[in-house]
Amino acid sequence: MTGLWVLVATLVAAAAVGVLLRVRNGRVRDAKPARDLPGPVTDVLDPASAVTLVQISTTFCAPCRHAKAVLAPLAERTDGLHHVELDVTNAPEIAQSLSVLRTPTTIALTPDGRELLRVGGVPKGPELLDALRPHLTTRTP
């Protein structure tokens, strides 16, 4: 009988962790405290755009491809928004210096490198656009 209770407790714990991860995936969070950006990140910032979305990815990350499929079209149709994907497979120190613990993570940065917000997981396009709206002008709603 004890084995049955252990099994039930394990299943309940696994379900709770799964629900928590699903709820947190793609959620827009406030910016991390200001820090010095690594060189590869400052190199990709677009001075002509109000916001650059830096997508931190790795080579074998399946959700990273989904994030790119959301972010690239969003940036194409939105004035003042630029998207760049930064693969950190061979440069984990970049992710570490940005406090990135999972891929994909998308960080919205101003041209001077100030972090506006970040999204862990695959972003939800409309929610991200709403959070960025004070910083840009859009061509399409």
Side-chain angles (χ1 to χ4, degrees):
M1 191 66 164
T2 303
L4 179 62
W5 286 113
V6 170
L7 177 64
V8 168
T10 303
L11 290 174
V12 168
V17 168
V19 167
L20 179 65
L21 289 175
R22 181 177 282 273
V23 167
R24 293 190 61 187
N25 189 42
R27 186 182 63 166
V28 175
R29 295 180 311 219
D30 290 333
K32 297 274 185 179
R35 73 185 93 228
D36 290 332
L37 294 175
V41 175
T42 56
D43 292 345
V44 298
L45 293 178
D46 183 8
S49 297
V51 176
T52 299
L53 297 175
V54 179
Q55 177 188 336
I56 307 297
S57 301
T58 52
T59 303
F60 299 106
C61 169
C64 295
R65 289 188 286 276
H66 296 292
K68 185 176 181 178
V70 170
L71 296 173
L74 186 68
E76 287 174 8
R77 70 175 186 263
T78 306
D79 286 333
L81 188 61
H82 179 69
H83 168 254
V84 65
E85 185 176 10
L86 193 61
D87 188 334
V88 296
T89 302
N90 297 318
E93 65 278 359
I94 295 171
Q96 183 179 13
S97 69
L98 294 170
S99 300
V100 171
L101 300 176
R102 67 185 282 199
T103 57
T105 292
T106 305
I107 304 172
L109 299 165
T110 61
D112 63 355
R114 186 172 52 91
E115 184 174 328
L116 300 172
L117 56 88
R118 62 174 55 204
V119 180
V122 179
K124 296 170 182 82
E127 184 180 315
L128 178 60
L129 196 55
D130 285 344
L132 291 173
R133 201 170 304 280
H135 306 283
L136 344 142
T137 352
T138 59
R139 285 191 295 243
T140 60

